[in-house]
């Protein structure tokens, strides 16, 4: 399995209030500052004693990503926010990540499992925020972040046919009741456990592409139409929240770090390549069939493209990643800006 120790410190930081909520301060801040001072002292001592080579080695082995700025992008993606969303789920942060390798072995399975763990942990079972990932090639921009009545909102949920949101919710409620009867307990699994997050909502949040296709219905489901597959290498990422913008940014930081971790693991472990979305189907040629191509791939960092979120008049609301983003994970990442 992928060694997830690099993200544990990030997750712990968010648990004690690293989202700017004011929690976990006081003694925690003082101990954190002291820890930083200690690390600086240790680093100086290593250099003074001639052991600076270890620091250089650690720097080389750090994960790496490259930021593509709006000005450098010939076709940047834009997300427009509708005024309707303000009272429903107002906060959204988006970006594009290119160069992800999901073809080999269980890479796709690891990626999807990582999202589930993030939803359970820092997303607080989707109550704080929800992550959605899409195949960029299947999206037509610009996008609209909107809120629509359940009777009008149509979505094609993962693994299901197109359905109105009100009918989907009713269907999930019936399935949840059946689960409770069969298992003889109150807890339910899958999408069913998030239904209460829609309680009291007159309109439901959704992300819609330029062709009117609903690609996301947070916090319930993504669309089958933009589903991530083994052949996906360029991804559109979104994090939405009804709580705060900072939560969205912190979770996006952590997601990008996890993706860089997973991609490095996949490239370093020579699993066989599979063109099928089925994890057991691994009949294709080995990864190292073309060593020079693989070496070039290993040296290429993930590229994170900036995405603008604007209001109905085109005024900038959010640009991610900005200069102040990814600072939470900067000790674990080499960021080429």
């Amino acid at each position: 399995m992928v060694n997830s120790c690099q993200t544990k410190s990030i997750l712990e930081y968010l648990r004690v209030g690293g989202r700017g909520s004011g929690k976990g301060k006081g003694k925690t801040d003082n101990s954190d500052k002291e820890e930083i001072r200690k690390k600086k002292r240790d680093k100086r001592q290593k250099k003074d004693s001639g052991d600076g080579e270890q620091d250089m080695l650690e720097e080389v082995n750090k994960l790496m990503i490259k930021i593509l700025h709006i000005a450098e992008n010939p076709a940047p993606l834009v997300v427009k926010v509708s005024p309707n969303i303000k009272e429903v789920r107002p906060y959204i942060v988006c970006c594009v990540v290119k160069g992800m390798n999901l073809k080999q072995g269980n890479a796709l399975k690891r990626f999807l499992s990582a999202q589930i763990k993030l939803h359970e942990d820092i997303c607080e079972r989707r109550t704080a925020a929800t992550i959605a990932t899409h195949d960029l090639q299947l999206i037509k921009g610009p996008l609209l972040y909107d809120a629509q009545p359940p009777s009008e909102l149509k979505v094609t949920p993962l693994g299901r046919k197109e359905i109105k949101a009100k009918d989907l919710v009713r269907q999930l409620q019936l399935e949840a009741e059946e689960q409770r009867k069969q298992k003889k307990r109150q807890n339910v699994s899958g999408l069913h456990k998030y239904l209460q997050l829609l309680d009291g909502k007159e309109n439901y949040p959704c992300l819609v592409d330029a062709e009117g296709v609903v690609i996301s219905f947070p916090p319930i489901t993504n669309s089958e139409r933009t589903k991530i597959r083994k052949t996906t290498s360029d991804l559109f990422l979104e994090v939405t929240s009804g709580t705060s913008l900072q939560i969205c940014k912190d979770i996006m930081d952590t997601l990008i770090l996890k993706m860089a971790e997973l991609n490095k693991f996949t490239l370093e472990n020579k699993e066989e390549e599979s063109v099928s979305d089925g994890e057991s189907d691994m009949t294709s040629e080995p990864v190292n069939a073309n060593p020079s191509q693989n070496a070039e791939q290993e040296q290429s960092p993930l590229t994170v493209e900036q995405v603008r979120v604007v209001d109905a008049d085109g005024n900038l609301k959010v640009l991610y990643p900005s200069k102040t983003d990814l600072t939470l994970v900067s000790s674990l990442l080499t960021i080429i800006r």
Side-chain angles (χ1 to χ4, degrees), residues 45-55:
Q45 287 171 359
K46 282 182 181 179
K47 289 183 178 180
D48 292 342
S49 62
D51 293 335
E53 291 182 7
Q54 181 63 31
D55 290 329

Side-chain angles (χ1 to χ4, degrees), residues 155 157-180 191-192 195 220:
V155 62
L158 290 169
R160 300 174 186 247
K161 295 181 179 179
E162 186 178 66
I163 188 172
K164 287 183 179 179
K166 73 168 186 176
D167 296 329
L168 173 63
V169 170
R170 180 59 183 156
Q171 192 178 92
L172 291 173
Q173 287 170 340
L174 293 173
E175 291 173 7
E177 286 302 317
E178 188 63 28
Q179 274 191 30
R180 291 188 183 99
L191 300 179
H192 312 90
L195 289 173
I220 303 300

Side-chain angles (χ1 to χ4, degrees), residues 124-165:
E124 299 172 19
R125 297 185 178 180
R126 305 197 190 191
T127 58
T130 304
I131 297 167
T133 58
H134 310 269
D135 188 326
L136 180 66
Q137 303 303 318
L138 302 176
I139 293 175
K140 305 293 183 184
L143 305 178
L144 175 66
Y145 186 43
D146 197 9
Q148 298 180 13
S151 58
E152 297 178 13
L153 174 58
K154 287 184 178 181
V155 62
T156 305
L158 290 169
R160 300 174 186 247
K161 295 181 179 179
E162 186 178 66
I163 188 172
K164 287 183 179 179

Side-chain angles (χ1 to χ4, degrees), residues 183-195:
K183 297 181 179 180
K184 296 181 179 179
R185 61 184 186 186
Q186 288 301 307
N187 293 337
V188 292
S189 60
L191 300 179
H192 312 90
K193 58 187 175 182
Y194 305 122
L195 289 173

